[in-house]
Amino acid sequence: MELLSVIRRWHHRDRIPIREIERRTGLSRNTIRKYLRSDAVEVRFKVPQRPSRLDPFADKLSEWLRVEAGKGRKGRRTVR
């Protein structure tokens, strides 16, 4: 569910006060006011592209998973 559209619908169509929207969503009143004033369609956060700490081991892990998938139920390793 798109949170921004829900907030706008509650405020404009259902006439729910900002304080009630705050209680329902857990967002601050300032954030809700900002969303109501903006013309944005949906809130987008910039997430920087970072390498994973597992990237150097990805090939080895994939190989282990492939080998373990071929074993029987009792022969597989568990998460532990």
Side-chain angles (χ1 to χ4, degrees), residues 38-49:
S38 72
D39 293 332
V41 175
E42 186 61 33
V43 180
R44 301 200 183 216
F45 299 100
K46 295 180 182 176
V47 179
Q49 293 294 332

Side-chain angles (χ1 to χ4, degrees), residues 2-9 35-36 38 40-43:
E2 296 175 346
L3 185 61
L4 189 54
S5 62
V6 171
I7 290 172
R8 285 183 178 158
R9 183 176 66 233
Y35 289 167
L36 291 172
S38 72
V41 175
E42 186 61 33
V43 180

Side-chain angles (χ1 to χ4, degrees), residues 1 7 15-16 25 27 37 43 46 53 56-57 59 68-69 73 76:
M1 190 181 302
I7 290 172
R15 301 289 185 208
I16 296 175
T25 61
L27 298 172
R37 289 179 188 148
V43 180
K46 295 180 182 176
R53 295 177 89 181
F57 311 103
D59 295 333
E68 291 296 319
R73 182 179 61 85
R76 292 185 192 145

Side-chain angles (χ1 to χ4, degrees), residues 8 16 20-21 23 27 29-30 33 41 45 48-50 57 61 65 69 71:
R8 285 183 178 158
I16 296 175
E20 179 60 28
I21 296 172
R23 285 186 204 107
L27 298 172
R29 289 187 322 252
N30 294 337
R33 282 190 189 107
V41 175
F45 299 100
Q49 293 294 332
R50 294 180 219 147
F57 311 103
L61 291 171
L65 288 172
K71 292 184 179 179

